[in-house]
């Protein structure tokens, strides 16, 4: 029997497979099914900064208006809870999940500017979240804001959230930093306990027939995994943070690749949305089967075996062989691509 347990963010998980943030967390039965299929933890869908700021503005407007009322009018006015439209259902969802499953449940906050909305981190901790995932998702910043300024702003958010809670904070990032490793090390200094690589961008397309922006959401494929493997392999030797892979894991073999590259945990969204939460069991069995076949007694033993420090030929992760590889590329006579 292969031991799949892993330590992630200081939490002990029975398996490295984690349900990634998605609308699945709204359905406690679906989450229970994923956990029965071997998921070791669950990340809830995100609460977004703009929702929380909106909620706070609603509350402030309410308090200002209430201060102007006389006592009788105040007794008829709705209480502050009437304005907690966004956070309250989320807290209820967290409570439902905590009651339903016996694995760690992470709440997720999504935002990139310092502000009062980060105080919700404490509410999530008080409501029982075992850890927080902070998603630093932003599509574009102000045209003149430099990369260094964007990073400093984001680090300020991380410091604010870390200062607000005692539970571990993991940060979900995009691949679009000039130096992912330097930014991850800065996250570590800011107090984060883990990093999740990489968020997938919302990528609207162009609809040529309607001459419009096509905004439908496309699920991932395994083709998105190598970008993550490369980052994990480079991060694993240079950070003490817990590493999670998200993006393009569609099979147990994909999960094995992420673990070999250095991941402590592997987050799954598209595959569970496509095939159903019970499909987690297929990935778990495939992962365990592969580890057994290769002679690993545990997933921990396989972790990082192919990272930049430990791979038999670390140059394969680097640029060194790149020119040689390009030089060796030959188009086939049929015109089809051939490596
Ligand atoms: C429908 C959908 C909703 C998502 N919602 C969130 C979210 O609320 N917060 C978040 O951090 N990530 C969200 N994600 C991103 C996933 O958590 C995951 O990181 C990403 O889809 C890559 O993993 P995958 O290739 O397994 O889908 C969402 C993804 C999908 C497909």
């Amino acid at each position: 029997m292969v031991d799949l347990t892993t330590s992630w963010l200081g939490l002990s998980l029975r398996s490295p497979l984690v349900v990634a943030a998605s609308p699945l967390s709204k359905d406690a039965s679906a989450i229970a099914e994923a956990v029965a299929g071997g998921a070791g933890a669950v990340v809830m869908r995100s609460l977004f900064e703009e929702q929380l700021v909106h909620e706070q503005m609603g509350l402030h407007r309410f308090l200002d208006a209430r201060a102007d009322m006389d006592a009788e009018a105040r007794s008829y006015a709705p209480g502050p809870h009437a304005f907690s439209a966004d956070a309250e259902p989320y807290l209820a969802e967290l409570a439902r999940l905590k009651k339903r499953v016996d694995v760690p449940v992470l709440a997720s906050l999504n935002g990139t500017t310092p502000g009062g909305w980060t105080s919700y981190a404490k509410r999530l901790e008080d409501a029982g979240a075992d850890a927080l995932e902070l998603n630093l998702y932003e599509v574009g910043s102000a045209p003149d804001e430099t990369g260094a300024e964007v990073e400093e702003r984001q680090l300020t958010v991380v410091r604010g959230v870390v200062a607000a809670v005692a539970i571990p904070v993991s940060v979900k990032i995009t691949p679009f930093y000039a130096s992912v490793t330097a930014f991850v090390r800065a996250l570590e200094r800011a107090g984060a306990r883990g990093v999740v690589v990489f968020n997938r961008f919302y990528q609207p397309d162009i609809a040529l027939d309607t001459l419009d922006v096509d905004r439908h959401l496309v699920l991932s494929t395994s083709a998105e995994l190598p970008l993550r493997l490369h980052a994990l392999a480079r991060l694993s030797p240079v950070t003490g943070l817990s590493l999670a892979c998200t993006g393009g894991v569609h099979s147990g073999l994909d999960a094995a690749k992420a673990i070999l590259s250095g991941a402590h945990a592997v987050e799954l969204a598209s595959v569970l949305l496509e095939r159903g939460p019970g499909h987690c069991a297929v990935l778990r069995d495939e992962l365990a089967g592969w580890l057994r076949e290769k002679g690993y007694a545990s997933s921990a033993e396989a972790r990082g075996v192919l990272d930049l420090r430990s791979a038999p030929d670390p140059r394969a992760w680097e640029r060194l062989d790149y020119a040689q590889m390009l030089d060796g590329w030959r188009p086939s006579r049929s015109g089809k691509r051939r490596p």
Side-chain angles (χ1 to χ4, degrees), residues 11 21 25 36 59 146 156 163 175 212 228 231 237 243 255 268:
L11 304 165
S25 65
L59 184 59
T146 66
T156 304
D212 200 355
R228 278 84 184 165
L243 300 177
L268 315 166

Side-chain angles (χ1 to χ4, degrees), residues 20-23 45-46 48 108 110 133 135 172 199-200 217 219-220 246-249 267-270 273:
S22 86
R45 68 185 168 94
S46 296
F48 286 81
S108 168
N110 196 320
E133 193 169 275
N135 189 340
K172 190 171 185 178
N199 208 350
R200 284 177 79 233
L217 192 141
L219 296 178
S220 73
T246 187
V249 177
E267 297 191 359
L268 315 166
S270 291
L273 292 170

